[in-house]
Amino acid sequence: MTTGTTARTTAFGTGLKDRETPAMLRGATKFTADLTLPGMLHLEFVRSRYGHARIDRIDGAKAAAMPGVVDIVTGADLAGHLMPLPCIWIPGGVESHFPPHPSGVPGAGTVLAGDRVRFIGEPVAAVVAETAGQARAAALAVRVDYTPLPVVTRPEQALAPGAPQLHDAVPGNLNALWTCGDAEATDEAIAAADIVVELDLYNQRTINNPMEPRAALGEYDPIADEYTLYATTQSPHNHRFLLSALVLGIPFNKLRVIAPPIGGSFGTKGYLYPDMPLVLYLAKRLGRPVKWADTREGLMCSTVQGRDHRQHVTIAGTREGRITALRCTSHANLGAYPSTIGPGVATALMGRSLTGPYAIPNAFCEVYAVFTNTVPLGAQRGSGRAEATTITERAVDLFAAEAGLDPAEVRLRNMVPPDRFPYDNGLGWTYDSGDYPAALRRALELAGHDKIEVRRREARERGRLLGVGIGSFVAVCGVGPSARMREEGMLGGTWEGANIRVHPNGEVALCIGSTSTGQSHRTTFAQIAADALGIDVASVTVSQSDTQRSPYGQGTYGSRSYSVGGPAVVMAARQIIAKMRTAAAHVMGVPEADVEYAQGRFFVPGKEETAKTFQDLAMAIWYGWSLPAGMAPALDVTSFFDPPDFNHPFGSHVAVVEIDQETGQVEIVRYAAVNDVGPVGNPLVVTGQFEGSIAHGLGQALMEEARYDGEGRLLSADLLGYALPRAADVPVFELDRTTTPSPHNPLGVKGAGEIATVPVTAAVANAVCDALRDFGVRHIDMPYTAEKIWRVIREARR
């Protein structure tokens, strides 16, 4: 790859081993929960036992007398000190309703509950003690008297007349009715179609389970009147602003946010949580650092959860297999409060993605975003896009069955042709580039699709049912552009920054605004810088995740780090090279236009003896002895990139399953995936992202479900009741890539971190339903547990 005038090196596109793994394998990585500061205290929350109730009294007298207890605070103690948490992504373009916030922004609940609790697990008090064990013991001794109130856990029920009202400022519990597309044209196309198919689908609520639960450590310096927060955050700069301006009410310059290694996120750590401002407030109040570290059980009942859409879709078209219309109504369960960006995830990311890779001329989507007495909803790997892909791909399979056509052929007939890009999907996204049919054909080839009927007969002889399913997708990624995100309801920018500083010896310090949650930023961003500068990647170090040291950046989410942060690195590198070229021309006494740069050398063709290396120029500029007039004696550049539009990775996955007829056990016997994320900077890292993403999707398809009872109690509140995929549940994946550069950034790259999750549930759902077709099965909702499938087979045999 050539970037500006920089010659190609071997950094970009090379599968270098990542720099982060050795410390993790040795157990030497320091996560937030591992940090200890002198004099540190420990915090534990007292959480609600009720899904909905008035708080009558909180009695902490017994707890206060227990060993080691330093302080107990309630919502009443925080009044006038901490503002409510804010929500910064609202449903764009429609009327919406939120809990109040004194700054005029949408509110997202108080740090500690005031007069009412709205979900089991909501914090109502906090205990601070000398040790974590003492804090936990004392928290159990805090007595809270409640008056239970009616509970509602499903969005359709929450909208019904007479349903319990969660927030006074949100009539009927409806956050927003959000729409996109053309309802009238879509309804007319459905009425005129040869084939009309309808489907109801529940994309079940799931719980993210990163290796490290959340943690926060607050420190206060009374002399400088400054706060420092160490936290598991994907967005240190964003959270610094939100915490200082909208929760703590302190000057921006008085807060520093540091994100140590995060230990995975899958979307959950991009939010403000009560622990963040509370440890800061208590650190000042008590004059000592305060730390909170979550448990696995605590994570399950308090960290944002994912998915949870109840959808009705209508798909229509011709008997020849042309899809002419697609209409979807979705009830999205936001939980008890809007999370920091939850409403945008549930509306725009789902609704505008509904048509997937297909050229469907008439489409419409409406989303009812609703509050219920459950844990707040947020992002989960592939959020919104996965929900849209699942419902659409199931509908395409049912449409193909009704038309009597092969599901693969129907997809190929309806995919956006390669010559129609950029393509307006009619719902708000403009796809940048792609060859969708090529990815599908390659995935079918990898999966041995032409031999499926032979394998199906062979499986029957062994008493097993074989099914094949396709999941084709497009995923909007690369969030910005900032101006467009404003239209989508985002209260903030979505650009990224990078700083390059060249040391006197030619070594390079790169500091980026984005934050790694496991994507090997210290490796992949070093490769970008090395390639753009034409130097050895070993001479580049990368730092991140500290608001006092790193340039402004909006954070890591929506598969945006590489495609938005990476171009910022390239732009900074170009400025470095331009300055060095000017200095080289001055040193060599030649016109700047004559100077070329390649492989770390500035030279004039034909005068190789006068060439200067990258290191030569770095030292010359640092000395400052002989520089062009007006040139500063340093190589230190900060650049920012705000993309002109989103990028749209795509692909097709094919799942082959076998079902044991006697037990109902579903086994993934083959899984082929072809993804296109544009040019790949580090194939090893990207392959790892693909494999992890597919495993994540298989978890939802086969076993994961957050189940609530009628009182709002989470029945799957630990790993005994909530299954996660293990190595034995995951097949060997057959992976391939096509490469279609995006025109929207100088690297041509597209999002990769989560995109392989997007089609997985669709592919598996289609495969399972295909395997059960002889039993008259039309559709089954996930997860496909052995018990559920066994019951389906048993009922069909009666």
Side-chain angles (χ1 to χ4, degrees), residues 45-117:
F45 285 111
V46 179
R47 298 188 181 277
S48 170
R49 308 188 311 273
Y50 290 90
H52 197 193
R54 284 196 304 270
I55 300 175
D56 298 323
R57 185 171 71 100
I58 301 176
D59 184 357
K62 180 180 178 181
M66 294 178 69
V69 174
V70 176
D71 200 3
I72 300 174
V73 292
T74 67
D77 297 319
L78 302 183
H81 298 285
L82 295 179
M83 291 180 279
L85 303 177
C87 174
I88 63 166
W89 193 359
I90 66 176
V94 298
E95 180 182 354
S96 57
H97 302 275
F98 291 86
H101 192 285
S103 294
V105 300
T110 54
V111 173
L112 295 176
D115 61 347
R116 188 156 41 136
V117 292

Side-chain angles (χ1 to χ4, degrees), residues 246-314:
L246 300 178
V247 185
L248 293 165
I250 62 174
F252 184 72
N253 284 332
K254 294 297 183 180
L255 175 61
R256 177 184 183 185
V257 178
I258 301 171
I262 287 177
S265 171
F266 315 129
T268 62
K269 296 173 182 174
Y271 299 83
L272 284 187
Y273 291 98
D275 50 275
M276 294 173 166
L278 191 56
V279 295
L280 294 169
Y281 167 76
L282 290 171
K284 180 177 182 179
R285 172 174 165 133
L286 302 175
R288 296 168 64 180
V290 176
K291 174 181 170 180
W292 171 81
D294 206 356
T295 62
R296 185 63 53 182
E297 291 78 7
L299 176 150
M300 305 286 270
C301 71
S302 64
T303 295
V304 295
Q305 298 176 352
R307 312 296 188 226
D308 208 342
H309 279 253
R310 295 183 183 271
Q311 300 166 303
H312 177 83
V313 68
T314 303

Side-chain angles (χ1 to χ4, degrees), residues 672-732:
V674 177
N675 302 293
D676 193 316
V677 296
V680 169
N682 187 316
L684 285 178
V685 171
V686 170
T687 297
Q689 293 294 309
F690 288 167
E691 291 175 341
S693 291
I694 297 171
H696 197 136
L698 291 178
Q700 182 185 2
L702 298 176
M703 60 193 72
E704 296 186 43
E705 183 176 19
R707 294 175 290 111
Y708 288 85
D709 67 12
E711 299 301 316
R713 186 177 297 105
L714 182 63
L715 302 178
S716 50
D718 55 34
L719 295 184
L720 293 176
Y722 189 92
L724 293 173
R726 299 164 296 181
D729 302 310
V730 178
V732 175

Side-chain angles (χ1 to χ4, degrees), residues 392-577:
T392 298
E393 289 297 275
R394 284 294 298 125
V396 169
D397 257 32
L398 293 174
F399 176 82
E402 187 68 20
L405 298 171
D406 183 272
E409 182 58 33
V410 169
R411 285 172 171 81
L412 290 169
R413 289 183 188 181
N414 288 280
M415 283 179 166
V416 178
D419 60 358
R420 290 187 63 183
F421 293 96
Y423 177 79
D424 182 347
N425 80 340
L427 295 175
W429 300 146
T430 299
Y431 301 157
D432 51 353
S433 61
D435 189 339
Y436 304 158
L440 175 54
R441 290 190 179 100
R442 178 58 180 146
L444 294 170
E445 180 185 3
L446 278 178
H449 189 261
D450 58 338
K451 302 292 194 302
I452 286 298
E453 292 307 316
V454 173
R455 296 189 61 186
R456 197 189 303 272
R457 290 193 296 270
E458 186 272 334
R460 284 199 192 101
E461 293 173 0
R462 294 183 284 109
R464 298 170 70 85
L465 305 171
L466 184 140
V468 59
I470 300 170
S472 295
F473 75 100
V474 179
V476 62
C477 291
V479 181
S482 296
R484 172 60 194 280
M485 288 305 295
R486 178 189 177 188
E487 296 175 7
E488 295 294 345
M490 179 69 79
L491 307 180
T494 44
W495 39 264
E496 278 300 323
N499 171 264
I500 293 179
R501 178 176 297 175
V502 182
H503 297 308
N505 64 351
E507 294 178 2
V508 170
L510 169 62
C511 197
I512 55 177
S514 59
T515 298
S516 176
T517 61
Q519 306 97 316
S520 304
H521 281 181
R522 289 176 53 208
T523 306
T524 58
F525 278 85
Q527 290 179 263
I528 295 176
D531 197 60
L533 293 171
I535 59 177
D536 187 346
V537 69
S539 67
V540 182
T541 59
V542 179
S543 59
Q544 59 187 336
S545 307
D546 184 342
T547 60
Q548 185 168 293
R549 297 177 180 175
S550 60
Y552 291 115
Q554 304 306 315
T556 295
Y557 52 88
S559 297
R560 68 187 301 272
S561 294
Y562 207 70
S563 62
V564 183
V569 176
V570 172
M571 293 165 65
R574 287 176 175 176
Q575 294 180 58
I576 292 287
I577 295 300

Side-chain angles (χ1 to χ4, degrees), residues 772-790:
L772 297 172
R773 65 185 182 181
D774 291 342
F775 289 94
V777 170
R778 182 173 182 271
H779 174 74
I780 308 172
D781 280 333
M782 301 177 291
Y784 301 119
T785 62
E787 179 187 0
K788 180 184 289 187
I789 302 302
W790 176 79

Side-chain angles (χ1 to χ4, degrees), residues 577-631:
I577 295 300
K579 182 173 181 177
M580 296 179 81
R581 179 181 285 104
T582 301
H586 179 77
V587 170
M588 292 187 286
V590 299
E592 185 175 336
D594 293 348
V595 179
E596 297 185 10
Y597 180 65
Q599 301 296 333
R601 297 171 65 253
F602 294 88
F603 62 94
V604 176
K607 298 182 179 180
E608 301 293 335
E609 71 280 359
T610 66
K612 301 295 180 182
T613 67
F614 186 90
Q615 291 77 11
D616 292 336
L617 267 298
M619 185 66 76
I621 293 172
W622 185 72
Y623 278 138
W625 290 348
S626 177
L627 297 179
M631 178 176 283

